[in-house]
Amino acid sequence: MSRPQETAIYTHGHHESVLRSHTWRTAANSAAYLLGSLKPHMKILDIGCGPGTITADLAELVPQGHVTGVDQAPGILEQARATATQRGLDNVDFAVADVHALDFPDDTFCVVHAHQVLQHVGDPVQALREMRRVTKPTGFIAVRDSDYAAMTWYPASRGMDEWLDLYRRVARANGGEPDAGRRLKSWALRAGLTDVTATSSTWTFSTPEERAWWSGLWADRTLASAYAERATEGGHATPEQLRAVSEAWREWGRREDGWFSVLHAEILCRKDV
Ligand SMILES: C[S@@+](CC[C@H](N)C(=O)[O-])C[C@H]1O[C@@H](n2cnc3c(N)ncnc32)[C@H](O)[C@@H]1O
């Protein structure tokens, strides 16, 4: 059955094994390409903010400004609010919103940001049109997404190859595009953005601590998250196959010579006057 164009199921869900990764994220490790453009007074919209650690960092970087974090999942916003409160921030608020149809007037924000969101939405070009609409003239639209097919690791492992193949099939069945990174610039141009700077950056996991953390969260996600449920319910994998993929992750994590790189594409777009 085909899905209406703009609806997609968020593949990962917000299981603890997923949030282990999201809550590790900072403006420095996930939005460095944007930071040089921020000014203390700016008004920022952070779309698909999840648990809000990047949102809170952005709020600290605009002490005379304001950040609004939005997400389509109401539950995760409670955690985002708690993060902001724990950090003593009074220039941030949160609301439920779908990026395809934002409930904000035209020309509202100096910066509209989305990290690891467009890969999960049903119509990323419409999402970028909305992001552009709510950005002030000369303001910035900033987007960063990973590209699963471009992720690479050592040593080679059939189980890890199966993980990548399975993840990409499940994400596409949910209406998303797991290889979003390479498409960001094209989507931006199709959305009518003309001033587009495209860059890329990586996360690397190599030390014993990094390998234990990265392999552990993927091994657990493969058995217990929404992605695991959708993999079996959608007929993409059996529970035995998921256990084998999970064990492949743990094996990789135990390898002293293990190395993993996550490629991300970034676009920093300036809205025309
Ligand atoms: C991979 S998480 C990224 C969270 C955060 N930006 C970060 O990098 O830590 C993607 C988030 O986008 C949200 N999301 C998915 N589709 C959305 C949509 N159509 N509109 C708004 N948020 C959406 C999900 O609920 C989830 O919290």
Side-chain angles (χ1 to χ4, degrees):
M1 197 176 71
S2 68
R3 212 185 297 288
Q5 203 185 10
E6 291 182 7
T7 60
I9 297 168
Y10 173 46
T11 295
H12 298 293
H14 294 102
H15 184 264
E16 180 277 327
S17 57
V18 174
L19 294 179
R20 233 181 280 164
S21 163
H22 294 181
T23 55
W24 161 85
R25 297 178 189 169
T26 63
N29 71 24
S30 300
Y33 69 103
L34 165 67
L35 302 188
S37 303
L38 296 184
K39 303 274 183 299
H41 64 274
M42 280 181 159
K43 190 171 171 181
I44 300 177
L45 177 65
D46 187 22
I47 298 177
C49 65
T53 53
I54 300 172
T55 323
D57 281 359
L58 293 175
E60 283 176 355
L61 292 165
V62 293
Q64 286 106 56
H66 188 87
V67 182
T68 298
V70 297
D71 202 288
Q72 70 170 9
I76 197 60
L77 293 177
E78 288 310 311
Q79 187 166 339
R81 286 190 186 98
T83 302
T85 303
Q86 279 157 18
R87 289 171 61 166
L89 294 166
D90 60 5
N91 64 337
V92 56
D93 65 358
F94 295 94
V96 175
D98 180 347
V99 67
H100 298 102
L102 294 167
D103 195 13
F104 298 103
D106 296 358
D107 306 341
T108 301
F109 298 97
C110 309
V111 176
V112 177
H113 169 257
H115 185 249
Q116 313 286 19
V117 180
L118 293 196
Q119 64 188 280
H120 296 295
V121 310
D123 188 344
V125 175
Q126 169 61 14
L128 281 159
R129 276 192 211 106
E130 272 297 87
M131 293 174 74
R132 178 179 180 279
R133 181 183 67 74
V134 301
T135 303
K136 290 181 183 177
T138 76
F140 296 96
I141 297 103
V143 176
R144 185 174 190 253
D145 268 277
S146 56
D147 189 298
Y148 274 76
M151 292 186 189
T152 191
W153 60 85
Y154 188 87
S157 148
R158 180 179 294 189
M160 299 271 285
D161 289 344
E162 280 167 13
W163 158 73
L164 183 59
D165 177 58
L166 174 64
Y167 177 81
R168 289 168 75 233
R169 281 188 286 120
V170 172
R172 288 202 171 116
N174 283 344
E177 175 45 70
D179 305 340
R182 68 192 65 192
R183 293 173 164 85
L184 289 185
K185 179 182 158 190
S186 169
W187 288 341
L189 296 175
R190 284 163 57 194
L193 289 157
T194 52
D195 184 346
V196 180
T197 302
T199 53
S200 59
S201 60
T202 57
W203 292 336
T204 306
F205 304 109
S206 170
T207 68
E209 296 74 24
E210 288 165 351
R211 293 197 316 274
W213 178 77
W214 185 241
S215 65
L217 70 86
W218 269 109
D220 291 346
R221 271 188 207 197
T222 302
L223 297 181
S225 67
Y227 146 68
E229 275 169 33
R230 284 171 195 137
T232 50
E233 284 167 10
H236 304 288
T238 63
E240 293 70 38
Q241 285 168 323
L242 290 184
R243 277 195 287 278
V245 166
S246 176
E247 185 45 38
W249 268 107
R250 294 209 186 277
E251 268 176 47
W252 173 82
R254 287 191 286 270
R255 287 285 300 238
E256 192 186 349
D257 57 353
W259 176 90
F260 198 108
S261 178
V262 179
L263 178 78
H264 299 87
E266 301 142 351
I267 49 168
L268 187 60
C269 315
R270 200 102 205 227
K271 181 171 169 178
D272 45 333
V273 184

